Amino acid sequence: MDASLNTPPAPTVIQRADYQPPAWLVPEVTLAFDLGTEQTKVVAALKVQRNGQSQTLRLNGDGITPEAVLVDGQPTNDWRMDGADLLVELPGDAHEVSITTAINPAANTQLMGLYASNGMLCTQCEAEGFRRITFFPDRPDVLSVYTVHMQGSKDLFPVLLSNGNCTQQGEGPGEGVHNATWHDPWPKPSYLFALVAGDLVANQDTFTTMSGRKVDLGIWVREGDQDRTHHAMQALKDSMEWDEETFGREYDLDLFNIVAVSDFNMGAMENKGLNVFNTRYILADAETATDLDYDGIEGVVAHEYFHNWSGNRITCRDWFQLSLKEGFTVLRDQLFSQDMGSAAVKRIEDVRVLRAAQFPEDSGPLAHPIRPDSYQEISNFYTATVYNKGAEVIRMMRTLVGPERFRAGTDLYFDRHDGEAATCEDFVKAIEDGAGIDLGQFRLWYSQAGTPRVTARLDHADGVATLTLAQSVPPTPGQGEKQPMVIPLRIALFDPASGTHQGEQLIVLDRAEMQFAFPGFARRPVLSLGRGFSAPVAIDAEISDEDLVFLAAHDDDPFARYEALQQLIVKHLLAVLDGALTDAALEAGRGAIAAAFAAVVGDRALDDLMRGELMILPGEGYLADQLLVADPGAIRKAREGLKAYLGRSLEAGLLALHDRASAVPYALSAEARGARKVKTQALALLAAGVPQRAADLAAAQFDAADNMTDRQGALMVLAGLETPLRQEKLAAFLARHAGDPLVIDKWFSLQAGSLHPQALDHVKALAGHPDFTMTNPNRVRALYMAAAVNPGVFHVASGEGYRMIGELVRALDPINPQTAARFIAPLGRWRRIEPLRAALMKAELERIVAQPGLSKDTFEQASKSLG
């Protein structure tokens, strides 16, 4: 027998260049659901209109079978299956096609389409989940007005929700059955359809729009969780008000509902008028949620609400345009969060996320532009590049034109494309026309992958400071040669004597190399470059340690001050890893960093939120990205060695800081949040330098804690130490929060992400814990993703960490391929790791690719990672 007959066909590659408009449009859809946990019957009535020459209506399906097909109310035999799709032959230009399907929500472990979650029925349709409910042209450029009829057991599903406004509720048909009808007047693609049925209660409120309309708001949760929804409700109201004031966008329905679901692949989903959220981004109180949880809820609630215009009213023509809605909306939620809290700290946090998640993506085998050219499985392109880099690209447009002209451009975009399925080019053109700027070369950001590297040198002669900048964009898969990008850079030139500058300037690097001259400097100035992180680039500047120490102490741009201290630490640690430092040089380098940290710890003029940021050392992943080939073990040793030095040399100051911060009572104010932040950072440094002292202090903080931030911060430190207090407090934490899934997720993550030398053994043991399950994405991520991003677990020299993640992927793929595929990226970094570990990582990828029946999601990620 020919061996090739046993080889599965290669997955289809979808190309952006092959886009064709839909052959048929569907202006109206009526869906009738007879709801049941193990069987739900769906009747979809589609009013279709020809949009081309074809008489064949292609309706996408996935794992479903048609029970009946009618055309204009009559049964027809003019249909056939083409793989998973239903093809119907239609002779005229307009028809009504009705299809009946039956699905089993309880068996849907993929959590795409209609599925069951703890007795509740809910949907997730982005990107291609609607085809798992009924046959439909499941693509974002088919916009339809939806009417939804639902009926089901009143005992099992007392609440029936869908998109739009509820137009009817009633009893029957039959005893114990009730029904509801929902109508959404705004045309939307199928990925924005939503349905929720379950035993839920609501925190209800109202919002009055800028035109005076009252909107009813509801956050629907399980009984007993209502009291943990108040922060999310306030975030929603703040978002609605901010979007009116900042972007002129008013909400357009009578209702806005949010439902919190415990089984969810994503963070949240912006379905029109009915957002479905992972519970972790809705539920919060001081006992169970950290300050970062509160921030996350505020940001994600805002993000999904802002999608009402940047994603729903204007949607994507095709999935290659995903950054059209996601990049723009991420920028909008970032600007909102900056206005709600500390703009400086928020900017630093966003950059840290970009560098930790997107920069490695840009330098690895999965690199792609923010508007990709091809894909096999679209769920793999919900990436940091599309979201976070996409936001930075649009932020650069705002930087180039200023906030007012940017607003003029977005106003034009909303007016010009309302009700359409648009493209990234449509957005750029609107900014271009509305702001009056030529963005021709700037468009390269949409088509070129990779993080540009900018080199900088400042010379001084005859009273003139000359800045020489050069840029290069490294090769990425499929893109060997790159053109120069448009890179806006905010700069300031400081007088080293006075510690002041004459004003910030914006310069634009748009060629391979450029020079900028600045006269009027009797002394050589100190260069502050890339202030506010004005472009998503890596900067290699010829700058002395003396100048970095100066900027860390005097720069009036908070990000630049943070960046100077980070660069000082990175330079030192890279020199340590290079092995070229003498003992004297090592001591001098550590001493300079300790002096800078001492200034940060003792500066009473500095607010604690910013102080906490300045006390965080560059991450191990970021340090690895600075090297062509990284040794994860050596990086951890160097970084922890510096931490230990800082903990010992600054012990008195750190203890005083912890003592002062501990006196601040719990509140959600910036002062109290900052106090909690510096307490944890002080403990982290002390744990490296004086572990027993830190263990006692952390245990005392744990016992005294009246909030989750302090309790988790203390337990995080204890989880990494070899002390009897570790197990004692872990057990106490688990007992205190038993039965609360979100908090138990924290318990798993703290151990999997710890610095403990036996952390890998702890992870393996936790996989057998009664509270662990492979069917809940939150729990899988809590344990295994925390391990995969912990170099001390993932990169153990034996390769056992790689094998553990490989085994997870192979076991999880048949259950939930979308979640399984997310674990490939850490293994895909093998080319940047020292040879012995690299061989083990590559071998694990090869085992994954060889797995029979592997999903498209995982196969695409693993095969691309192998190259």
Side-chain angles (χ1 to χ4, degrees):
M1 179 181 291
D2 186 347
S4 65
L5 296 178
N6 293 325
T7 303
T12 301
V13 177
I14 311 299
Q15 303 284 346
R16 180 167 58 89
D18 292 340
Y19 171 83
Q20 295 291 329
W24 290 81
L25 301 177
V26 188
E28 294 181 40
V29 179
T30 300
L31 300 172
F33 289 86
D34 189 356
L35 299 168
T37 302
E38 295 185 351
Q39 177 173 290
T40 289
K41 181 167 283 191
V42 185
V43 180
L46 319 179
K47 291 186 177 180
V48 301
Q49 291 182 355
R50 189 191 306 278
N51 192 46
Q53 299 301 311
S54 177
Q55 292 187 346
T56 303
L57 171 67
R58 177 177 290 272
L59 302 173
N60 306 119
D62 181 5
I64 56 175
T65 303
E67 293 188 350
V69 179
L70 283 69
V71 175
D72 298 326
Q74 300 299 317
T76 180
N77 292 321
D78 290 334
W79 63 271
R80 68 185 188 278
M81 297 300 294
D82 180 19
D85 292 353
L86 172 65
L87 275 56
V88 185
E89 298 301 324
L90 299 174
D93 293 334
H95 299 275
E96 180 171 297
V97 178
S98 177
I99 310 105
T100 301
T101 57
I103 52 181
N104 182 353
N108 184 358
T109 63
Q110 293 186 33
L111 310 184
M112 290 292 290
L114 179 67
Y115 65 92
S117 174
N118 294 321
M120 183 195 319
L121 297 182
C122 58
T123 57
Q124 171 56 34
C125 293
E126 188 176 358
E128 295 178 340
F130 191 74
R131 64 186 64 188
R132 295 172 58 81
I133 298 172
T134 189
F135 291 96
F136 196 80
D138 191 12
R139 45 189 288 173
D141 56 353
V142 175
L143 307 182
S144 311
V145 172
Y146 282 71
T147 300
V148 179
H149 305 291
M150 291 180 279
Q151 66 180 42
S153 165
K154 196 170 185 178
D155 289 336
L156 295 176
F157 312 120
V159 174
L160 303 174
L161 304 173
S162 190
N163 308 88
N165 299 314
C166 187
T167 59
Q168 178 273 330
Q169 297 184 72
E171 300 294 325
E175 186 177 351
V177 174
H178 70 145
N179 61 76
T181 298
W182 290 76
H183 177 71
D184 184 356
W186 301 102
K188 64 176 178 285
S190 56
Y191 81 83
L192 289 173
F193 168 76
L195 176 154
V196 174
D199 189 1
L200 301 166
V201 294
N203 175 6
Q204 296 180 318
D205 207 331
T206 63
F207 179 81
T208 302
T209 71
M210 59 185 178
S211 67
R213 289 189 308 104
K214 189 182 83 167
V215 179
D216 291 322
L217 311 176
I219 299 181
W220 297 84
V221 294
R222 299 283 184 187
E223 180 71 46
D225 284 337
Q226 307 98 298
D227 288 343
R228 293 202 280 168
T229 64
H230 298 299
H231 179 67
M233 179 63 79
Q234 188 59 52
L236 175 58
K237 294 167 71 174
D238 290 343
S239 303
M240 298 175 82
E241 183 177 2
W242 184 90
D243 209 19
E244 290 181 346
E245 294 175 351
T246 308
F247 282 92
R249 300 297 102 194
E250 182 176 356
Y251 187 62
D252 52 7
L253 289 168
D254 299 333
L255 299 173
F256 188 91
N257 284 317
I258 292 173
V259 177
V261 179
S262 57
D263 299 292
F264 206 64
N265 283 336
M266 303 182 182
M269 179 61 209
E270 72 266 19
N271 318 296
K272 182 70 177 179
L274 178 58
N275 288 186
V276 179
F277 271 65
N278 192 315
T279 50
R280 66 175 296 195
Y281 290 114
I282 289 296
L283 304 181
D285 60 17
E287 171 69 9
T288 60
T290 65
D291 293 337
L292 287 178
D293 292 331
Y294 274 91
D295 288 345
I297 289 168
E298 182 178 70
V300 176
V301 167
H303 180 95
E304 305 307 334
Y305 173 75
F306 296 154
H307 265 314
N308 187 62
W309 279 90
S310 52
N312 297 3
R313 286 286 289 261
I314 304 176
T315 193
C316 301
R317 185 196 71 178
D318 54 70
W319 289 119
F320 297 102
Q321 319 298 328
L322 184 58
S323 199
L324 171 76
K325 73 182 184 79
E326 295 300 348
F328 185 26
T329 305
V330 168
L331 173 64
R332 277 152 55 72
D333 80 55
Q334 289 176 350
L335 295 174
F336 165 78
S337 294
Q338 287 178 198
D339 286 348
M340 294 298 106
S342 168
V345 170
K346 174 60 178 170
R347 188 64 184 134
I348 292 169
E349 290 172 346
D350 290 339
V351 173
R352 186 185 297 117
V353 169
L354 186 82
R355 285 173 168 170
Q358 197 279 320
F359 275 23
E361 199 167 82
D362 249 354
S363 63
L366 302 178
H368 56 277
I370 65 170
R371 183 187 57 199
D373 294 318
S374 66
Y375 64 81
Q376 296 174 19
E377 173 53 57
I378 184 55
S379 64
N380 286 332
F381 277 94
Y382 285 74
T383 62
T385 296
V386 167
Y387 279 67
N388 303 79
K389 186 176 181 178
E392 295 297 328
V393 168
I394 298 174
R395 185 186 287 265
M396 282 191 291
M397 296 186 209
R398 187 172 184 264
T399 297
L400 287 166
V401 302
E404 291 184 6
R405 290 165 62 198
F406 181 74
R407 167 67 189 272
T410 59
D411 283 350
L412 181 60
Y413 169 69
F414 290 126
D415 292 343
R416 184 182 280 176
H417 298 290
D418 186 14
E420 294 182 3
T423 65
C424 293
E425 173 59 28
D426 292 329
F427 180 84
V428 176
K429 189 68 169 65
I431 301 299
E432 204 169 41
D433 294 346
I437 185 174
D438 181 356
L439 293 172
Q441 183 186 353
F442 186 87
R443 285 170 169 80
L444 288 170
W445 282 101
Y446 281 87
S447 59
Q448 292 191 163
T451 301
R453 300 200 72 87
V454 175
T455 59
R457 186 183 75 252
L458 185 69
D459 299 308
H460 179 256
D462 300 324
V464 177
T466 302
L467 176 61
T468 302
L469 297 176
Q471 64 161 297
S472 62
V473 187
T476 53
Q479 293 185 346
E481 299 294 327
K482 307 291 180 72
Q483 300 178 54
M485 310 282 264
V486 175
I487 301 174
L489 294 167
R490 290 194 176 109
I491 71 163
L493 295 169
F494 280 84
D495 179 348
S498 66
T500 61
H501 60 84
Q502 296 178 356
E504 185 178 88
Q505 301 181 57
L506 178 67
I507 60 176
V508 178
L509 173 64
D510 58 10
R511 296 195 294 275
E513 185 169 332
M514 297 176 69
Q515 284 192 333
F516 301 86
F518 305 95
F521 288 94
R523 291 180 294 270
R524 184 185 185 280
V526 178
L527 172 66
S528 174
L529 177 64
R531 293 158 66 83
F533 196 74
S534 48
V537 301
I539 297 178
D540 299 319
E542 293 183 10
I543 185 167
S544 67
D545 288 357
E546 182 183 7
D547 282 355
L548 289 173
V549 170
F550 172 90
L551 292 171
H554 299 289
D555 205 318
D556 59 341
D557 178 84
F559 176 80
R561 183 177 184 181
Y562 162 84
E563 185 74 345
L565 189 52
Q566 293 283 295
Q567 287 182 41
L568 186 67
I569 298 168
V570 169
K571 283 181 65 176
H572 170 76
L573 290 176
L574 292 182
V576 171
L577 290 167
D578 188 51
L581 288 180
T582 64
D583 290 344
L586 176 64
E587 189 64 25
R590 285 177 167 180
I593 294 168
F597 264 63
V600 167
V601 170
D603 184 355
R604 297 304 294 266
L606 195 63
D607 73 81
D608 278 339
L609 280 172
M610 187 65 189
R611 190 191 322 277
E613 290 298 325
L614 293 171
M615 292 172 66
I616 300 174
L617 270 63
E620 292 172 65
Y622 181 69
L623 290 167
D625 281 339
Q626 312 310 304
L627 301 165
L628 290 176
V629 177
D631 181 338
I635 290 173
R636 169 154 291 191
K637 180 179 179 182
R639 186 176 184 271
E640 289 305 303
L642 177 59
K643 275 178 64 180
Y645 180 90
L646 294 173
R648 289 192 299 270
S649 60
L650 302 177
E651 180 180 0
L654 292 171
L655 291 171
L657 176 62
H658 189 278
D659 186 57
R660 174 182 66 77
S662 297
V664 179
Y666 181 83
L668 289 177
S669 65
E671 177 190 8
R673 289 160 58 92
R676 292 190 289 275
K677 188 173 188 174
V678 296
K679 272 197 286 188
T680 294
Q681 296 310 321
L683 279 178
L685 292 173
L686 289 167
V690 284
Q692 188 55 57
R693 182 72 181 91
D696 293 339
L697 193 61
Q701 177 175 307
F702 182 94
D703 292 339
D706 61 356
N707 64 87
M708 178 54 72
T709 305
D710 282 346
R711 190 174 302 117
Q712 178 175 295
L715 192 59
M716 180 269 293
V717 169
L718 287 169
L721 296 175
E722 191 62 75
T723 169
L725 291 168
R726 174 186 180 276
Q727 199 56 44
E728 175 189 326
K729 301 309 179 188
L730 282 169
F733 187 92
L734 181 63
R736 181 185 185 116
H737 298 288
D740 189 321
L742 295 179
V743 184
I744 301 306
D745 285 343
K746 300 178 191 296
W747 185 80
F748 278 95
S749 289
L750 286 170
Q751 296 173 79
S754 83
L755 294 170
H756 197 284
Q758 277 78 54
L760 175 59
D761 293 334
H762 299 157
V763 173
K764 292 162 64 177
L766 287 167
H769 193 277
D771 284 326
F772 182 76
T773 173
M774 289 279 279
T775 60
N776 181 271
N778 281 357
R779 189 57 46 85
V780 173
R781 288 187 289 257
L783 179 61
Y784 284 108
M785 192 56 78
V789 299
N790 180 355
V793 171
F794 186 65
H795 287 297
V796 292
S798 66
E800 196 172 354
Y802 311 141
R803 288 193 293 276
M804 180 180 70
I805 296 301
E807 290 168 1
L808 167 74
V809 170
R810 293 191 291 276
L812 186 59
D813 186 69
I815 301 170
N816 189 328
Q818 191 175 123
T819 300
R822 297 287 189 267
F823 286 88
I824 298 296
L827 289 167
R829 299 287 293 162
W830 62 272
R831 292 175 180 83
R832 300 290 299 274
I833 302 298
E834 55 86 13
L836 292 177
R837 286 182 172 91
L840 296 169
M841 296 167 76
K842 184 181 179 184
E844 204 55 54
L845 286 168
E846 290 170 341
R847 278 190 280 271
I848 291 170
V849 169
Q851 175 86 353
L854 200 65
S855 70
K856 287 193 303 180
D857 308 62
T858 303
F859 178 82
E860 179 179 27
Q861 297 293 83
S863 59
K864 285 184 175 179
S865 295
L866 283 168

